[in-house]
Amino acid sequence: MQDVAGDVKSASAPGLLDSAKALTGTLAARAAATEALRRLPDETVADIKAAGLHRLGQPSRFGGAEMPLDGIVDVITALARGCAATAWVCGVWTDHAIIVGMFDPAAADDVWGGNENATISAGLFPSGTNERVAGGWRLSGSWGFASGCDHADWIILGSLIPDADGRPTHNLCLVPRSEISIDDDWHVMGMAGTGSKTIVVEDAFVPDHRIFSLPLVMGGWEARGRPDVGPLYRLPHRPTIPFHFCATSLGIAEAMMEDFVSGMAARKSFGKPMAEFETMQMHIAEASAEIDCARLLIRRDVTEAMAAMRHGQSLSPEIMVRNRRDQAYSARLCRQAVERLFGAAGAHSIYEDNAAQRRYRDVRAAGNHVVLNWDLAGTTYGRVALGLELETSFV
């Protein structure tokens, strides 16, 4: 297939990464307060919006950056070096903006036509009840893990809606903030600042153009029959876009490494510089290798995916399961690096005012996301590598 339209050439794209890096110190200073608040502070949301970092995945026709996935990953990694929760929320807002870019264009008009700064949270797993009515569906129920919902203008909710043959199909329903309430139930040991609370809906009307099949989201531009959209909106979702979760883990690990090295360079134990301890040298070598491997896996996969979309190519099943493997394994590598450094840092790291203990908890919590589940991703890859039939739809 001949090349199709390339990425939008946004002059602000390099500046967005610079803006993210410039915010790192401010976010780090707020990280403890963000955790205590159990959502992003209003000041942080204002900073994110002032820098345009909530518009990474927004279509360019609304003034969005429509940034390639590799650029998005760089921005999220930079933010996570300051505050993992902020990076996570910015990542999911970006993820959901990309999904809305795959919907009927009228849905995007609803979201951004009157508010170019609108953000989107989600409870993607199918839940609740639905009823067919003229022009759409009535939706009721509750949906958990809606990161960033306190500051979201729209919510995507998963629901099993019958297809033309009456078979329940996982669909995504786009609902305005005015139609939902929030159950403040997010009391967790890590990533507390993401505010990933439960969304409650009672009899919300969702017009047909704001409902989109999840299999089409997962299937890529070929399944959606939309080669005319930009490369970002051609991606098959699960094996590509969730690399923003890995980017959060990567940023946590990078920040942990930087602080560990600078801290150990100045510390002594029984009068001997700790930098001279061979065990410390080995901890740094092993953790840095894990972080570098994670970074290289992420970079390879997102760069290849964007190149394929630019050239109108499909991702093969082998590449998709490889990407799923790499999402989970890169997060695992980052977790191992953080745990290694946390253990080597000694008793100083367990104080509540030490960022190391929060990074340790955050990287553990981030790795519990279902997309980053190594058992599922690893066995899926192994089945395909051994020539067995792919039994899971988790690709």
Side-chain angles (χ1 to χ4, degrees), residues 241-252:
I241 298 169
F243 274 105
H244 69 82
F245 292 127
C246 314
T248 297
S249 294
L250 177 60
I252 295 171

Side-chain angles (χ1 to χ4, degrees), residues 11 32 57 62 198 230 265 303:
F62 298 104
T198 294
T303 301

Side-chain angles (χ1 to χ4, degrees), residues 152-281:
D153 301 285
W154 290 79
I155 312 291
I156 300 174
L157 301 173
S159 186
L160 294 177
I161 295 177
D163 63 14
D165 296 322
R167 295 170 298 193
T169 301
H170 191 167
N171 277 264
L172 302 181
C173 305
L174 188 58
V175 178
R177 174 60 180 270
S178 60
E179 297 283 347
I180 67 102
S181 60
I182 297 174
D183 181 5
D184 187 3
D185 59 354
W186 188 243
H187 300 273
V188 292
M189 56 81 73
M191 301 297 284
T194 63
S196 303
K197 302 168 184 176
T198 294
I199 299 298
V200 180
V201 173
E202 294 184 11
D203 199 33
F205 174 68
V206 188
D208 287 327
H209 72 273
R210 284 203 237 123
I211 298 174
F212 199 62
S213 162
L214 184 69
L216 293 183
V217 172
M218 300 304 176
W221 66 269
E222 307 94 326
R224 296 189 287 270
R226 294 291 308 279
D228 56 319
V229 297
L232 187 61
Y233 311 110
R234 298 185 195 128
L235 290 165
H237 182 274
R238 193 171 283 136
T240 60
I241 298 169
F243 274 105
H244 69 82
F245 292 127
C246 314
T248 297
S249 294
L250 177 60
I252 295 171
E254 288 181 345
M256 189 79 163
M257 173 60 75
E258 182 178 353
D259 284 358
F260 184 88
V261 170
S262 63
M264 286 301 163
R267 283 177 60 183
K268 292 184 178 182
S269 178
F270 298 101
K272 182 178 179 180
M274 296 196 73
E276 295 181 8
F277 283 54
E278 292 181 351
T279 52
M280 288 300 171
Q281 297 162 9

